[in-house]
Amino acid sequence: TYRGNVAPAVETIVLRCLEKHPADRWQSTSDLVTQLEPLATPSGGMTPMATRPLEARSVARRRSLAFGAAVAALVLVAAALVFAFTRPAPPLQFGHRTQVTLTAGVEEMPVPSADGKSVAYVAFAPGDTADRLELRRVEGGSAIVLGTRMSPLSWSPDGSQLLTGSPRGLQVVPALGGTPRLLVPRGLFGGWSPDGKAVAYVMGDSLLVRPVAGGPPRLITRSLDPNELAWSPDGRWLAFVSGNSAYLTDWNVATSSIWLVDAGGGVPIRLTAGDHTNASPAWISNRRLVFVSDQDRGRDIYQLDLRRDGHPVGAPRRLTTGLNVSLIAVSADRSRLAYSVARIRSNIWRLPLPATGTVSARFAQPVTSGEQNIEIFAISDDGHWLLFDSDRAGLQQIFRMPLPGGNIEQVTDDTFPAFAPQPSPDGKEFAYHSIGPKGYRRVFVKPWDGGTPVAVSPEMDGDAMGPVWWPDGSRLTWWFVPNYGGRAPGRLMEASRTGGGWGKPAPLTAAGPAAASIHFSINRKEFVAYDTARGLVVGSTADDRLRTLLPVSGMEESTGNPIWAEDRRSVLLAFQHAGQSQIREIPVAGGAPRDLVSFDGPVQRSGKGTMVERGGQLYFTLGENESDLWVVELEGSR
């Protein structure tokens, strides 16, 4: 209409640049330049000079030069436009920050109000028997308790209601407290849509959306262990985490990845790799996400820019260094970001066991110390060595220490985290599991004095973890879960060593077909197992007979794997009741259980449930977890 003398070839190229759907436009700068370059040459898109009348030579030359200059300018403009729309946006800048909580204990899961001036969160202080849902102004003031046993998920767009998670499912709570209203029974990880008309949530492996006013849910997609949902500001996309939902309850070190799916449904787009912990996606704009990741050996905030089709523009960029952030959330007006900083500290302690009565964990003595997180440990059969996993070197690896004390030595140096060490009966090697490059756990055996680890469990679509040696050291048993966090049931597997290698794993049936754990007595002639169908069972390595000590109903409050006591007359098991942990002694010959150790001190038990008895001393882990909340102003978020 306005430039009738534009060559048809140029018009075709420009119109394709302006196509409504991305798939109909040029897909790369190279494609566009390939079309434009011929037009910038003397014959490109025009009548060749040799066919023009001689008397119009000077006019044609002027037109040719002018048109060539115009096309060259078009090339530069087009390239600039392509670059502008495909290059990553500048990094997000953080401004003034304010610490919101300072009290002892854990304050987690921050959810800022629409204007970022208030934050809802979960609080659990030493001595509490249940967590509290609190609301606090960023500028200061006392916390308002909105309820108990609820966690904040998402504010309604008008800020009048808070969507929360609870044992009942998804509930709605008035902004300043009141009676909760059940919205989605058994729903998990909910998120309010930007228009306030729908909520997204998880049930099993399904990501669903349903109207707030009521109506049937709509399936968006299915994924492995989906959690932490976040709507884009325009409501077009849903970002979510796949894997390691346990991270939200105990900062579990396991792999997870960030995904994106159209809110109307479809095939999800993977945004991050799955070989590290990637969590807590939050939207800065319709095409920019921030999230938490430990991909550089420490939890920090990363930025990821997206194309219009949802695919990433380049690799994630780290915005913070050494922040140790655990969870983040962004206010609806994109002016402020709330985050939690967690200090996860767990060490090994020991306590003499009483002949009668109950002893308090307050009288325990430390075996290890320092800023580290020990999850699982073991003691060699001769009692001379303590083997444990720790993040003291920045990444969870295996360490050993002589007992009763001495220098600590690192014995694995894997690229990925290593956990759950178990010394062999002869003390010449140890087994452990490590998270591999594909995100799944595998079992390895390594010589005690060093050498190359040998893989015992093959690469499978699931997790092999927690290896246990059989009495003669020729067999290993471990817990295998297909697609960890999914719906498929786990089972115990075993492999035997014949000659110089390990044979093909097979399901273990000696402890019961539904056994989830196994532990041998000090002489390795008896074992105790937790069978998900029968409960707590004991057996002998000499036969296949099993006897039930506790039914499944008696295991509901258990928090760890059972172990044999050193005298072989009882089984020890960790429980938690009314917010307090105990270690209970269950006589093998029958009789009433008794509380052996009570964790009633100012520190909280780590919850991993690892314990070992040696020489009348009970070794266990104690955690002193601390988490506080901060709010930071965002610059350049628009």
Side-chain angles (χ1 to χ4, degrees), residues 505-577:
L508 174 71
T509 58
S517 69
I518 188 169
H519 183 268
F520 291 97
S521 60
I522 190 68
N523 67 352
R524 298 185 181 267
K525 292 184 178 180
E526 302 97 0
F527 63 82
V528 58
Y530 171 50
D531 188 301
T532 55
R534 300 178 56 176
L536 190 67
V537 298
V538 292
S540 169
T541 55
D543 55 54
D544 294 330
R545 289 177 297 177
L546 298 174
R547 182 163 57 89
T548 301
L549 285 185
L550 276 181
V552 173
S553 59
M555 298 285 290
E556 291 178 354
E557 295 181 328
S558 64
T559 59
N561 295 327
I563 68 165
W564 275 94
E566 197 170 24
D567 62 8
R568 298 165 48 209
R569 292 183 295 184
S570 60
V571 168
L572 308 184
L573 185 60
F575 285 85
Q576 188 170 33
H577 178 70

Side-chain angles (χ1 to χ4, degrees), residues 111-112 114 151-165 170-175 180-184 188-202 207-214 228-239 263 281 283 330-332 334:
V111 179
S151 56
L153 297 172
S154 174
W155 287 98
S156 61
D158 62 5
S160 65
Q161 300 179 91
L162 181 62
L163 185 66
T164 67
L170 298 183
Q171 298 185 137
V172 175
V173 181
R181 174 172 62 90
L182 184 63
L183 185 63
V184 184
L188 299 170
F189 312 114
W192 221 303
S193 64
D195 61 8
K197 296 180 180 180
V199 291
Y201 63 97
V202 168
L207 199 163
L208 305 160
V209 169
R210 56 157 287 180
V212 174
E228 293 196 88
L229 314 181
W231 291 82
S232 61
D234 60 4
R236 178 186 176 186
W237 301 104
L238 273 166
W283 292 88
V330 176
S331 60
R334 318 299 158 186

Side-chain angles (χ1 to χ4, degrees), residues 185-463:
R186 301 183 305 281
L188 299 170
F189 312 114
W192 221 303
S193 64
D195 61 8
K197 296 180 180 180
V199 291
Y201 63 97
V202 168
M203 193 166 288
D205 64 355
S206 299
L207 199 163
L208 305 160
V209 169
R210 56 157 287 180
V212 174
R218 175 169 49 88
L219 178 66
I220 301 301
T221 191
R222 285 189 169 89
S223 178
L224 170 65
D225 188 20
N227 59 91
E228 293 196 88
L229 314 181
W231 291 82
S232 61
D234 60 4
R236 178 186 176 186
W237 301 104
L238 273 166
F240 65 95
V241 177
S242 175
N244 194 19
S245 58
Y247 176 80
L248 297 174
T249 56
D250 62 3
W251 305 288
N252 185 51
V253 181
T255 58
S256 54
S257 51
I258 309 291
W259 294 71
L260 194 68
V261 65
D262 193 298
V267 179
I269 301 168
R270 187 173 196 146
L271 301 182
T272 69
D275 51 4
H276 294 90
T277 300
N278 298 285
S280 205
W283 292 88
I284 297 299
S285 68
N286 290 322
R287 294 176 62 184
R288 182 188 292 186
L289 272 173
V290 288
F291 62 96
V292 175
S293 179
D294 64 358
Q295 66 184 54
D296 293 304
R297 293 202 175 196
R299 295 191 309 274
D300 276 297
I301 300 176
Y302 289 75
Q303 171 182 318
L304 186 63
D305 297 302
L306 306 175
R307 300 195 319 226
R308 292 185 183 275
D309 61 2
H311 288 83
V313 178
R317 288 182 286 175
R318 186 168 60 176
L319 301 179
T320 66
T321 301
L323 188 59
N324 202 28
V325 62
S326 48
L327 294 170
I328 61 175
V330 176
S331 60
D333 65 359
R334 318 299 158 186
S335 65
R336 293 183 174 185
L337 180 145
Y339 65 93
S340 52
V341 174
R343 188 190 71 174
I344 309 164
R345 187 168 74 172
S346 176
N347 277 287
I348 301 171
W349 296 64
R350 62 182 168 209
L351 180 70
L353 291 179
T356 59
T358 305
V359 63
S360 171
R362 287 177 291 180
F363 299 104
Q365 297 296 315
V367 178
T368 65
S369 61
E371 294 291 331
Q372 62 180 332
N373 180 31
I374 296 176
E375 291 196 355
I376 303 174
F377 68 91
I379 296 176
S380 60
D381 279 16
D382 59 13
H384 293 164
W385 289 96
L386 175 68
L387 207 60
F388 59 93
D389 61 44
S390 170
D391 63 354
R392 61 190 296 128
L395 183 70
Q396 210 84 10
Q397 292 295 307
I398 310 299
F399 298 80
R400 68 185 176 198
M401 184 184 81
L403 288 176
N407 294 328
I408 295 176
E409 179 186 2
Q410 184 172 339
V411 292
T412 64
D413 189 19
D414 295 348
T415 305
F416 298 94
F419 304 88
Q422 287 291 323
S424 62
D426 60 8
K428 295 182 179 180
E429 52 194 346
F430 63 93
Y432 66 98
H433 74 251
S434 177
I435 299 176
K438 295 183 179 180
Y440 291 120
R441 297 163 175 83
R442 296 184 66 194
V443 172
F444 294 86
V445 169
K446 185 172 183 177
W448 185 266
D449 295 327
T452 303
V454 176
V456 178
S457 64
E459 290 190 6
M460 299 178 70
D461 188 19
D463 284 284

